[in-house]
Amino acid sequence: MMKLWSGRVLLPCRGGAMILLGGISGAQAATGVAPPAMYPATTWQGQSQAVVRVLDRLDAHLELLTIPVGGSVTYHSLSVGVEACVSRPQTLVADAGALLHLKDSSDPQRPPFDGWMLAQEPSVATYGSPLYDVRVVSCAGALTAPQAGPLPEVKAPVLASAEVPVEEGGDAPASQPGSASGGPVPLAPDSHNPIPLAPPSGAAPSLAPAMPPQSSGQSLSPPEADPGLE
């Protein structure tokens, strides 16, 4: 069993012997810790390639297409073109978006799709083809515009006082309470300006309750009996 002796710790070991450890250090002074550096939530980083997944509903075949920005790829009768691809920086939640141009040559009645698709929110924009399902997976390749830029500089907060008072386990003397102007707060009122205990008029307030108003001498008639109680 661990024991304390003169501010030190005694630990048991084999044979009943005790190990004496050094004294426990006092409380350390509080220091300000800077929050982690994070990109703003509206920051996106451009990349040179888009990774797109295409599902063929006829045979349930999945195909991953890596398409360069500004180019297009044909999968069966579906043409997939990429205009831009952006992703979130590493300090934000992972997500990617691609500006796609989709056209199915086997379905000329269906208008082409032109718009953004998001990897983490695929239901925001979908390609309404009964044959193909298209999803954005991620961005790849070299970094292009828009650039995320460097992380914002985060400074550690500066504490007003890093000393720990004695009553909290530190070595600094206890601080005296101060007034709004920075000086000490008086514990008693100034003897030259006593606190008035009576109203300015000089009449002491009466502590006795006010007397009820006296009746004019007319007696009140008794209340009528409740017919429900008879």
Side-chain angles (χ1 to χ4, degrees):
M1 182 178 67
M2 183 179 67
K3 297 181 180 180
L4 294 176
W5 177 72
S6 299
R8 301 187 178 184
V9 181
L10 294 175
L11 295 178
C13 61
R14 288 187 176 181
M18 306 295 290
I19 300 176
L20 179 63
L21 300 181
I24 302 176
S25 60
Q28 299 295 327
T31 56
V33 178
M38 298 285 292
Y39 281 102
T42 57
T43 304
W44 292 86
Q45 172 63 60
Q47 290 187 260
S48 60
Q49 295 176 344
V51 181
V52 180
R53 186 193 70 187
V54 180
L55 169 65
D56 189 345
R57 291 189 174 97
L58 289 180
D59 55 4
H61 177 73
L62 281 174
E63 186 75 17
L64 283 179
L65 305 176
T66 302
I67 308 171
V69 172
S72 62
V73 171
T74 302
Y75 175 73
H76 297 320
S77 61
L78 179 66
S79 174
V80 182
V82 177
E83 298 294 333
C85 192
V86 292
S87 60
R88 290 289 194 185
Q90 295 181 355
T91 60
L92 300 179
V93 179
D95 198 1
L99 181 58
L100 302 179
H101 176 79
L102 307 176
K103 177 63 178 178
D104 186 3
S105 59
S106 65
D107 189 4
Q109 301 299 326
R110 185 170 304 280
F113 173 87
D114 290 285
W116 285 92
M117 285 189 179
L118 300 177
Q120 299 300 325
E121 296 84 11
S123 60
V124 173
T126 58
Y127 180 48
S129 171
L131 182 58
Y132 300 106
D133 179 68
V134 181
R135 301 288 179 91
V136 174
V137 178
S138 62
C139 295
L143 301 181
T144 60
Q147 296 286 347
L151 284 170
E153 183 180 356
V154 180
K155 297 182 180 180
V158 179
L159 303 180
S161 177
E163 296 181 349
V164 182
V166 176
E167 61 269 16
E168 298 182 6
D171 300 329
S175 59
Q176 297 294 333
S179 62
S181 60
V185 177
L187 301 180
D190 190 0
S191 59
H192 300 286
N193 297 319
I195 299 176
L197 301 179
S201 60
S206 176
L207 301 180
M211 297 296 294
Q214 298 181 358
S215 61
S216 59
Q218 298 179 0
S219 60
L220 300 176
S221 60
E224 298 180 0
D226 189 356
L229 299 178
E230 296 180 355

